[in-house]
Amino acid sequence: MSGPIPLQWPLCLSALLFTLGMVGVLTRRNMIQVFMSLELMLNAVNLNLVAFSRHLESLTGQVFVLFVFTVAAAEAAVGLAIIIAFYRNKPTLNVDEFNLLKW
Amino acid sequence: MMPAIHYAAILPELCLLVFGLGHLLLSFTVQEENKGSLAAIAILILVVAGATLIPLWDQPVVTFAGSYAVDNFALFFKWVFLLAAVLAILHSGSYLRQEGMEHGEYYTLLLFAVLGMMVMASARDLMVVYVGLELMSITFYCLVGFLRGRLGSNEAALKYFILGAFSSAFLLYGFSLIYGITGTTSIPEIHTFLAAHPEAMAAPLALAIVMVIVGLGFKVSMVPFHFWSPDVYTGAPTPVTAFLSVGSEAAAFAAILRIFVSGLAGQSPLWSGLLTALAVITMTVGNLMAIQQRDVKRMLAYSSVTHAGYILVGVVVGGAAGSATVMFYMLSYAFMNIGAFGVVAALNRTEGAEGASLDHFAGLAKVHPALGAVMLVLLLSLAGIPPTAGFFGKFYIFMGAVQANLVWLAVVGMLNSAVSAYYYLRVVVYMYMRDPEGEPQLLLSTPMRWSLAASIAGVFALGLFPDTILALARASAAVF
C-alpha cells in the first residue's frame, strides 16, 4: 500500500473519538473518568484540525491545535483544583453525590 | 516578516493585562487591614482601561494579521463589560469580607475575565474567539468556586467546569469543521469563501453551525443548554453571579453576532430558523421555570434564561438594525440585573447562604424603604414597564422583529414578557404587603449603595433618553 491516507479515515476516527468522549461524559459516574472523557473530546478536535491542515496544505489548523493544547492544559489545572477543593469538603468523586443544588 | 501590530489599538487590553498582573503581585504584599483598597485599585484599573478606549472610537483598526478588530462594535461591548465589572466589584468587598474570603486574587481573576470578554468582542478569527472564550470561562470557573470552604460553591464550580468544557468541545468541533470546509479560520474570509461557493458542503456546514450554536448557546444559557445556570447562579458568590449573568452573556452574544450576522450571513437559511425556534423555546421554558421558584436567586437565574430568549430575537432579525437592539438590551440588562443581584447580596445571610428565599424579602419595604424602592425599580425594569431601561430594551427588539416581518415572534415575546411580570411582581408583593419575619440582617456597605445608585441611575437614564443610546448602538453596529 502506498500514497497518503484518505481524508475520510482520520475524520471518521475523530468523529468516533468525539462520540466516545461525549458518551463518557454523560454516562461515567467517576469525576476523574468524566474529566478524561472531556480531554478525549478535545483531542478528537485536534485530530480533525491536523487532518484538515494536511489535506488543505495550510498551517492554520496546526496553529489552532497548539492553542487548544495550551488552553486544555490550563483548563485541566483549574479543573483538578476545583475537584480537590470539592473533595476536601466532601470526600467523594461520584457525580451522583453532587446533589446539594438540584439539577 | 512580522505583521504590524497596532499597540495603541490594544492599549485597553494591555492595560488590563499588565495592571492585572501588578494587582496580583500587590495583593500578596498588602496588609490584612488594607485589603479593602484592593477593590479600589481594581476599579481604578477598569476606569483607566475604559478611558483608553475613548480615543479609539470611530477609528476602526484591524490588527494581528486581520484576526483582531478594534471597531465601534467591539468598543461598545467593551464599555458594557467594564461597566458590569465595576458595578460587580462595588458589590464584592463587603460580601467577601462577611464570608471571610477577601483575597486579592478575586479582583485579579475578575480583571482577567474582563480581558477574555474584550478579546471575544474584538475577535475576527475563530481561534481568537476560542482563546478569549476560554480565558473568560476558566477565570469564571475559579470565581464561581471562590468560596472554597463552602460545598455549594465547590459544587457549582464543578458543574460549571464540566458543562463548560463539554460545550467548548462542541464549539471547537464546529470550528474545526468550518475550517475544513472553508480552509480558513478568519471570519471575513469565511464569509468571502461561502459567498463564492454558496453550495459548498451544505450538510457538514449545517452540522458545524449546530455545534457552534450548542457551544455558544451554553454560554448565553439558551434552552436546552441552560441546566447549568440555575445551579451555578445559586451556588456562586452573589457578586460573581451578577457579573457572570451579564458579562458572559454579553461576550457570547458579541461572538454570536460576529460569527453569524457577519461571517455566516449568506448562510442564514441554515441557522435563522433554528435560532428562531430556540428563541421561542428559551423565552417560554425560562418563564415557566421561573414561575415555580421560591428562591429569588434561582428565579433571577431562570429570568436571565428568558432574557437570553428576547435577545436571540434581535440576533434572528440580524443586520445592523438587529445588532443595535441587542447591544442596547445588553447595556440595560447590565444595569438592571447586576442591581437586582446586588439587592440579593445585601440580603445575604451567613447561615442559609445557599440562596435568598422569597421569605427573606417579606416586609423589606418596611425594614429598609430605600432598598425596597431600589428593588422595586429594578424588578419593574426587568419586567419591562416604562419608563425604565428594560421597557425600551424589549420595545426596540420587538419593533425590530415587526419591521423584519416576524410579527408572530414579536407577539410571542410580548406574551412571554407579560407572563414574566407575574414572578417579578410577586417579589414586590412580598416586599410591600407582607410583614417582616424577625429582624433581617442587612449587609449594605457604602460601595454597595453607590453601585445600586448607579444601577438605578442607569435604568432611568436609558428609560428617559433611549434614543441617544440607541443612536450610539446603531453607530456601533454599523460595521455589519
Side-chain angles (χ1 to χ4, degrees):
Chain A
M1 267 185 54
S2 64
I5 299 173
L7 179 64
Q8 288 86 334
W9 291 14
L11 291 193
C12 288
L13 178 61
S14 150
L16 183 72
L17 287 175
F18 191 83
T19 317
L20 272 178
M22 191 172 76
V23 172
V25 172
L26 295 174
T27 60
R28 292 285 107 185
R29 302 270 59 106
N30 183 301
M31 206 43 239
I32 304 295
Q33 288 175 340
V34 170
F35 197 71
M36 287 162 68
S37 306
L38 283 173
E39 295 295 314
L40 191 60
M41 290 172 81
L42 287 182
N43 282 314
V45 173
N46 286 342
L47 184 58
N48 231 354
L49 286 169
V50 171
F52 282 133
S53 168
R54 176 117 179 111
H55 177 73
L56 298 164
E57 292 176 358
S58 99
L59 275 178
T60 318
Q62 297 185 34
V63 176
F64 206 154
V65 169
L66 287 178
F67 277 106
V68 176
F69 272 150
T70 319
V71 170
E75 208 167 48
V78 167
L80 288 172
I82 292 173
I83 293 176
I84 291 171
F86 183 88
Y87 194 84
R88 282 192 183 144
N89 286 321
K90 189 173 180 181
T92 174
L93 286 173
N94 189 339
V95 181
D96 292 329
E97 292 188 43
F98 301 172
N99 50 11
L100 195 63
L101 307 159
K102 45 186 182 216
W103 280 96
Chain B
M1 197 188 82
M2 290 291 288
I5 294 172
H6 291 261
Y7 287 101
I10 58 161
L11 197 60
E13 283 86 343
L14 286 177
C15 170
L16 275 185
L17 177 67
V18 173
F19 290 139
L21 288 171
H23 186 275
L24 185 61
L25 289 177
L26 187 70
S27 70
F28 295 133
T29 59
V30 166
Q31 301 293 316
E32 194 61 41
E33 62 270 18
N34 295 333
K35 284 256 168 97
S37 59
L38 289 172
I41 296 169
I43 289 177
L44 188 68
I45 296 171
L46 291 167
V47 170
V48 170
T52 54
L53 285 172
I54 295 171
L56 302 173
W57 182 258
D58 269 339
Q59 312 277 333
V61 172
V62 172
T63 180
F64 288 101
S67 64
Y68 203 80
V70 182
D71 46 22
N72 289 354
F73 172 80
L75 293 183
F76 188 95
F77 270 103
K78 286 176 187 181
W79 272 312
V80 173
F81 304 145
L82 293 169
L83 173 81
V86 170
L87 292 178
I89 287 181
L90 286 173
H91 283 302
S92 299
S94 46
Y95 183 93
L96 293 175
R97 216 164 299 134
Q98 185 194 265
E99 300 285 342
M101 287 299 286
E102 196 185 26
H103 300 306
E105 61 267 28
Y106 175 89
Y107 302 109
T108 313
L109 285 169
L110 224 138
L111 293 176
F112 286 145
V114 178
L115 180 60
M117 292 170 193
M118 288 170 73
V119 171
M120 272 176 90
S122 273
R124 216 160 153 269
D125 190 293
L126 298 181
M127 241 185 277
V128 183
V129 173
Y130 174 67
V131 172
L133 180 94
E134 288 296 326
L135 178 55
M136 176 186 83
S137 304
I138 293 176
T139 45
F140 267 130
Y141 302 149
C142 304
L143 283 172
V144 167
F146 200 78
L147 304 179
R148 56 175 184 267
R150 182 167 286 168
L151 197 56
S153 183
N154 299 150
E155 197 177 307
L158 252 186
K159 281 181 181 168
Y160 191 37
F161 167 69
I162 295 172
L163 292 173
F166 191 56
S167 72
S168 47
F170 276 92
L171 183 73
L172 267 181
Y173 201 87
F175 283 177
S176 77
L177 289 178
I178 293 180
Y179 167 63
I181 295 163
T182 63
T184 173
T185 54
S186 157
I187 294 173
E189 282 175 29
I190 290 170
H191 183 81
T192 320
F193 179 90
L194 291 174
H197 308 81
E199 300 307 317
M201 311 245 201
L205 191 60
L207 179 66
I209 287 173
V210 169
M211 289 198 139
V212 172
I213 289 180
V214 171
L216 289 173
F218 171 87
K219 292 288 166 210
V220 301
S221 51
M222 195 191 285
V223 176
F225 319 112
H226 69 289
F227 355 80
W228 62 278
S229 60
D231 289 348
V232 171
Y233 283 21
T234 318
T238 312
V240 173
T241 311
F243 187 49
L244 175 69
S245 69
V246 172
S248 141
E249 192 156 319
F253 270 115
I256 288 177
L257 289 174
R258 284 245 193 234
I259 295 176
F260 288 97
V261 177
S262 164
L264 297 169
Q267 273 55 47
S268 63
L270 284 178
W271 53 265
S272 70
L274 183 60
L275 280 187
T276 312
L278 286 174
V280 172
I281 300 172
T282 304
M283 285 186 246
T284 317
V285 172
N287 259 336
L288 293 179
M289 296 302 291
I291 287 175
Q292 300 166 21
Q293 304 304 322
R294 286 198 57 82
D295 181 316
V296 176
K297 225 171 154 184
R298 275 186 97 81
M299 183 274 274
L300 285 173
Y302 280 112
S303 114
S304 75
V305 173
T306 312
H307 286 276
Y310 302 142
I311 300 172
L312 270 178
V313 174
V315 177
V316 171
V317 171
S323 310
T325 61
V326 170
M327 292 157 90
F328 183 92
Y329 203 101
M330 278 326 313
L331 182 61
S332 56
Y333 189 63
F335 282 120
M336 57 199 187
N337 221 34
I338 293 189
F341 276 114
V343 177
V344 174
L347 280 164
N348 177 60
R349 274 132 235 262
T350 320
E351 66 275 26
E354 295 309 338
S357 155
L358 260 180
D359 300 321
H360 292 178
F361 281 80
L364 182 63
K366 294 193 183 77
V367 178
H368 199 302
L371 193 62
V374 165
M375 191 62 172
L376 173 69
V377 171
L378 295 169
L379 288 170
L380 289 180
S381 177
L382 282 167
I385 288 164
T388 56
F391 169 74
F392 284 101
K394 280 180 191 156
F395 176 74
Y396 288 139
I397 287 214
F398 296 148
M399 273 301 285
V402 170
Q403 279 158 5
N405 285 325
L406 291 163
V407 180
W408 69 273
L409 194 56
V411 171
V412 171
M414 280 182 260
L415 287 177
N416 265 300
S417 176
V419 172
S420 74
Y422 168 74
Y423 53 82
Y424 293 127
L425 295 182
R426 185 167 56 184
V427 180
V428 176
V429 169
Y430 268 78
M431 287 194 306
Y432 279 87
M433 296 178 188
R434 299 279 172 109
D435 286 322
E437 294 170 3
E439 191 59 34
Q441 312 150 280
L442 285 182
L443 172 80
L444 202 57
S445 62
T446 313
M448 287 175 99
R449 284 171 212 263
W450 290 348
S451 181
L452 289 174
S455 290
I456 293 292
V459 162
F460 279 125
L462 285 178
L464 295 173
F465 310 103
D467 296 338
T468 324
I469 308 292
L470 187 71
L472 194 67
R474 287 232 171 93
S476 315
V479 295
F480 292 130

